[in-house]
Structures are given as structure tokens and as C-alpha cells.
Amino acid sequence: SEITAALVAQSAADIPLAGKGWTIACLANIPGQDVDELLLGIQESSTEPMLVRTWAAAARVDRCRSAAALIEKASLISRFPALSRPIGKRLVHQLQAGDDQVPLERLLGISVRTPQVQPALSPIILASKPEELVATMQRATEGDVRRQAAAYLSTLATGGDASQIASTVATAY
């Protein structure tokens, strides 16, 4: 549309940072895959300052409407550390809303690969049934995920009924 074209032109123009920020904010509120690709272009631009690139990445995160989409964007945290808290908070909100069911193994994998979101995911992982953690500890394809499941079982045992956790592990083996 004309508005999108004008905003794209504005984002490429040599204007003050605040103007670029408002341009990105406006683009973030326009639906469509084409706008997401425009924001991706800004995010990946080597000519833009890191702040502008971070704003574009944040706008892309803000556009996510599912836990799966947020999980996909979690890989951006290594390049844009400022995204760790918004991604973590939105991911927890999506998971608590119950709209998305993300397997425990996948949550543990995210917490291993993206430690910045681990504090946000920990309460959800700890709310899992001990049997689920044991099963993940036994069958996860990645060794780091199996170790992470064991660590959460240990945390549950330390903070609660250790004999129940021990019994669950013993029964599984």
C-alpha cells in the first residue's frame, strides 16, 4: 500500500533515530508477511545502527501471535540481548494462556540453547509432572536436554517431596 511504501522510504531515509523508531513502530502495526520481511531487512541491514536493528527485531517479536513463533525468534537473543526479557515474558504468557501446547522436551531445549529465557521458563518447567521430566530425561534426543531434565528433577526433589521424586525415578528404571 501507499502507507507501507512511504514508511519503507522513511525507514531508509537519513532521519534522526527517534524518527526511525516511530517508523518501525508504525510498520510493526501493519499486518502481513511483506511487512515482516521489510522489518527483517532493517534488522539485517549492516548500514543501520544497532539500536535501529534491535527495534526492528523487537517489532518482529511483537508481531508473534503464538508460542511457536516466539520460540523461533528466541535465536535472535544472541544477537540482540535486549530481546531476552520480552521474548521470555511473551512466551510464558502464551504458554500460560494454554493456546499453544509446547512439548516439555522443546521447552527444555530452548532453556539450554537460550539461557537468557531460562528464568522465565523455569516456573512452567517446574510445574510439569515429575513423570514427564523423567520421561524426557530418559528419551530426549539431545544429551543437554536430558541433563536439564535431570537438573529440574533435582530442583523439585530439593524443594519438595524428595522421596516421591526418587520413587518416580526408580519406577521409571
Side-chain angles (χ1 to χ4, degrees):
S1 76
E2 290 179 36
I3 293 173
T4 305
L7 288 169
V8 170
Q10 175 118 354
S11 71
D14 188 22
I15 59 174
L17 283 178
K20 286 197 183 243
W22 283 111
T23 301
I24 290 169
C26 290
L27 282 169
N29 287 302
I30 299 172
Q33 182 63 30
D34 58 331
V35 175
D36 191 64
E37 289 173 14
L38 293 169
L39 289 167
L40 176 61
I42 296 169
Q43 170 192 308
E44 299 298 321
S45 173
S46 60
T47 60
E48 292 292 345
M50 189 56 152
L51 180 60
V52 172
R53 295 171 59 202
T54 302
W55 286 338
R60 293 184 65 227
V61 167
D62 190 51
R63 296 166 61 87
C64 293
R65 298 292 171 245
S66 69
L70 287 164
I71 289 168
E72 224 174 79
K73 299 290 188 285
S75 63
L76 293 172
I77 293 173
S78 62
R79 289 179 30 222
F80 304 102
L83 297 180
S84 65
R85 184 167 178 185
I87 288 175
K89 287 184 72 131
R90 295 222 27 238
L91 184 56
V92 167
H93 181 324
Q94 286 286 343
L95 293 171
Q96 287 175 338
D99 298 335
D100 292 306
Q101 293 300 320
V102 177
L104 179 61
E105 184 175 344
R106 189 147 187 219
L107 288 177
L108 289 166
I110 294 163
S111 74
V112 166
R113 286 184 293 282
T114 317
Q116 299 91 331
V117 297
Q118 193 172 27
L121 291 179
S122 287
I124 291 172
I125 294 169
L126 288 170
S128 301
K129 294 178 182 168
E131 294 82 10
E132 292 174 339
L133 283 164
V134 170
T136 304
M137 181 181 74
Q138 289 178 309
R139 298 183 192 102
T141 55
E142 297 177 43
D144 288 342
V145 172
R146 290 192 303 272
R147 284 186 286 281
Q148 190 80 325
Y152 276 107
L153 275 169
S154 174
T155 300
L156 283 175
T158 303
D161 187 5
S163 62
Q164 180 204 8
I165 301 299
S167 174
T168 303
V169 172
T171 301
Y173 286 98

